[in-house]
Amino acid sequence: MTTFKFMKLPYLARRLVVKIMETNEQINYSLISRNSKRLVQCLNKTPDYFEATIQGQIICLDTNLSDMKHLKLVFLPELRLGSCPVPTTPLVVKSSISCRGCELEKAEFSTRDWIDHLVDIFHCKTLKLIFDQGSAYYDLVSIRDLFQGFDIIGLAIQDTYREHALKILWIFQPVLSIIRQLSIIRVPFELEDMEYIHGVVFQNYDYLKLAGPSDLGIEAVMDMNSKIIEMSNPEIDAFQLNLFVQEWMNITTSASMETLTITLLKQETVEFYEHVILDEIPHTVVPRDRFKKFHMPIDTNSWKKMDRIVGQYEIQGWEERKATIQLDVYGNEVRFKFVVGQ
């Protein structure tokens, strides 16, 4: 059987073939030689951002390119909470190029070399940094240094210890005033932490997501300065959402807010919750055949995934400000979505 000599093809033919490859295939090809790397660079395929998820023995690297499947930098650190620097080189790097995945070969690459290689071929130094379950084992200074030079636009902390989350916020405090997106999900903060947490969440973000029990109720939401807010707090109920709508109509909420999504658990929500939320609120019911399709600048799961829309309702506040309330259901969740101006 004759082997096809791909590298013997003329440059333009190789460029055309590489251009129609999927992103992970292009990454694999770029590792062959300097010339193959240069060819992928010349495609000028640029994502909006990289996403790095820090887990126990894995750092996942991803982009917002729709066909890219993450790369896994797999380590074997000595697992002691908060004391493990990021290993200089990964044990193995896996690409999800197929259902089984494959290992990428570049023995001379350090951990930072892998990151720099992706930066070079995609022409991007914008980063969202996610600290997930297991990230507490790593020394945070080594994580910060690993991504030195990146423009960090997003920070997410989820499913980790209280002490670790507070340390992340302290280590990355210099970027909190300039990042555009912040998510804090299922972190068991204590009452004594809340004054500091208030100082963090009341800054001006493009996107703010908070999930889990906290003292940040609907009154706090009214004063938040972020444009897009998503919250899941068992303390917020349909009666408080009614209060929020009334306050918005009277211009006593933040003028910065463009979209608010509050998630309620169906089994803990009062029957006929839509009537409670809209009680004494002048509104117009949008006919089902004229339901609006909203354009969201940040495409989150709460907008991408839903089982059914319960209803849409138009309201108007002072100075003819307009908003639409959408109530929808997904699984055991009821979502209250408040969209200004659309």
Side-chain angles (χ1 to χ4, degrees):
M1 181 177 176
T2 305
T3 304
F4 177 64
K5 304 287 187 181
F6 175 71
M7 300 303 286
K8 298 293 185 181
L9 288 174
Y11 172 79
L12 290 178
R14 277 186 287 125
R15 191 178 190 276
L16 182 61
V17 173
V18 173
K19 187 175 182 179
I20 62 175
M21 289 179 177
E22 292 189 350
T23 299
N24 287 62
E25 293 172 326
Q26 292 168 346
I27 294 171
N28 292 6
Y29 179 73
S30 71
L31 294 167
I32 295 172
S33 67
R34 290 182 181 178
N35 287 337
S36 64
K37 176 182 177 181
R38 195 174 298 118
L39 193 154
V40 174
Q41 284 178 302
C42 290
L43 298 177
N44 290 320
K45 189 174 189 177
T46 304
D48 296 324
Y49 57 83
F50 282 108
E51 195 172 87
T53 303
I54 317 299
Q55 298 172 325
Q57 296 177 316
I58 295 171
I59 294 179
C60 286
L61 300 176
D62 208 343
T63 70
N64 69 319
L65 296 171
S66 60
D67 70 327
M68 181 174 173
K69 299 179 177 61
H70 56 243
L71 299 186
K72 290 183 178 181
L73 277 61
V74 182
F75 304 101
L76 195 60
E78 192 176 339
L79 296 179
R80 297 193 311 274
L81 284 178
S83 61
C84 303
V86 176
T88 307
T89 57
L91 184 68
V92 68
V93 176
K94 294 187 176 183
S95 172
S96 302
I97 197 169
S98 66
C99 59
R100 296 183 62 186
C102 69
E103 295 184 4
L104 302 183
E105 298 291 339
K106 207 69 176 174
E108 68 272 25
F109 268 19
S110 68
T111 302
R112 179 67 197 217
D113 288 337
W114 281 104
I115 295 169
D116 287 340
H117 183 81
L118 294 178
V119 168
D120 289 344
I121 64 174
F122 290 130
H123 317 282
C124 179
K125 294 200 79 170
T126 304
L127 178 70
K128 291 184 182 181
L129 193 53
I130 302 170
F131 290 90
D132 205 346
Q133 191 172 23
S135 62
Y137 289 107
Y138 288 106
D139 170 54
L140 288 172
V141 173
S142 74
I143 295 289
R144 183 194 63 191
D145 293 347
L146 179 63
F147 295 101
Q148 194 73 36
F150 276 86
D151 176 20
I152 300 177
I153 62 165
L155 184 65
I157 306 169
Q158 56 193 40
D159 298 312
T160 190
Y161 305 102
R162 161 190 174 260
E163 295 83 358
H164 180 55
L166 291 171
K167 195 177 292 185
I168 293 169
L169 293 172
W170 182 76
I171 290 286
F172 288 90
Q173 190 167 5
V175 304
L176 285 177
S177 59
I178 58 174
I179 62 172
R180 303 204 297 269
Q181 301 177 25
L182 176 68
S183 299
I184 302 177
I185 301 169
R186 294 180 295 274
V187 177
F189 290 118
E190 296 180 0
L191 193 58
E192 64 190 71
D193 306 323
M194 296 317 296
E195 183 177 351
Y196 176 66
I197 297 302
H198 282 203
V200 171
V201 302
F202 282 96
Q203 298 191 43
N204 302 324
Y205 302 110
D206 287 345
Y207 173 73
L208 174 65
K209 181 173 182 177
L210 303 170
S214 77
D215 73 339
L216 294 168
I218 203 67
E219 293 81 5
V221 173
M222 294 178 192
D223 295 329
M224 289 178 179
N225 295 313
S226 296
K227 293 179 181 178
I228 300 172
I229 302 170
E230 293 191 358
M231 285 188 69
S232 176
N233 183 344
E235 302 302 318
I236 297 178
D237 59 23
F239 297 96
Q240 291 176 318
L241 294 177
N242 173 265
L243 174 63
F244 167 81
V245 176
Q246 292 185 46
E247 294 297 322
W248 180 86
M249 294 176 71
N250 294 326
I251 320 185
T252 53
T253 62
S254 170
S256 303
M257 188 186 64
E258 297 175 2
T259 304
L260 171 66
T261 300
I262 302 285
T263 299
L264 311 173
L265 291 178
K266 197 183 297 183
Q267 63 268 27
E268 297 179 6
T269 304
V270 294
E271 193 175 5
F272 305 117
Y273 56 85
E274 61 270 34
H275 299 299
V276 174
I277 293 171
L278 296 166
D279 185 39
E280 297 187 7
I281 304 291
H283 64 276
T284 302
V285 178
V286 179
R288 190 163 291 274
D289 60 350
R290 296 182 189 174
F291 274 173
K292 302 178 182 180
K293 291 185 177 180
F294 297 105
H295 170 69
M296 291 295 112
I298 298 176
D299 196 16
T300 65
N301 282 337
S302 66
W303 283 96
K304 287 190 292 188
K305 298 179 179 180
M306 66 182 77
D307 294 333
R308 65 183 178 90
I309 297 176
V310 176
Q312 289 184 350
Y313 314 92
E314 295 175 337
I315 64 169
Q316 184 169 310
W318 284 99
E319 299 178 352
E320 298 185 348
R321 289 199 308 165
K322 294 182 180 180
T324 302
I325 297 170
Q326 175 172 302
L327 301 175
D328 59 53
V329 174
Y330 180 67
N332 68 340
E333 297 176 348
V334 172
R335 279 96 65 99
F336 166 89
K337 295 172 179 175
F338 190 86
V339 184
V340 177
Q342 290 193 42

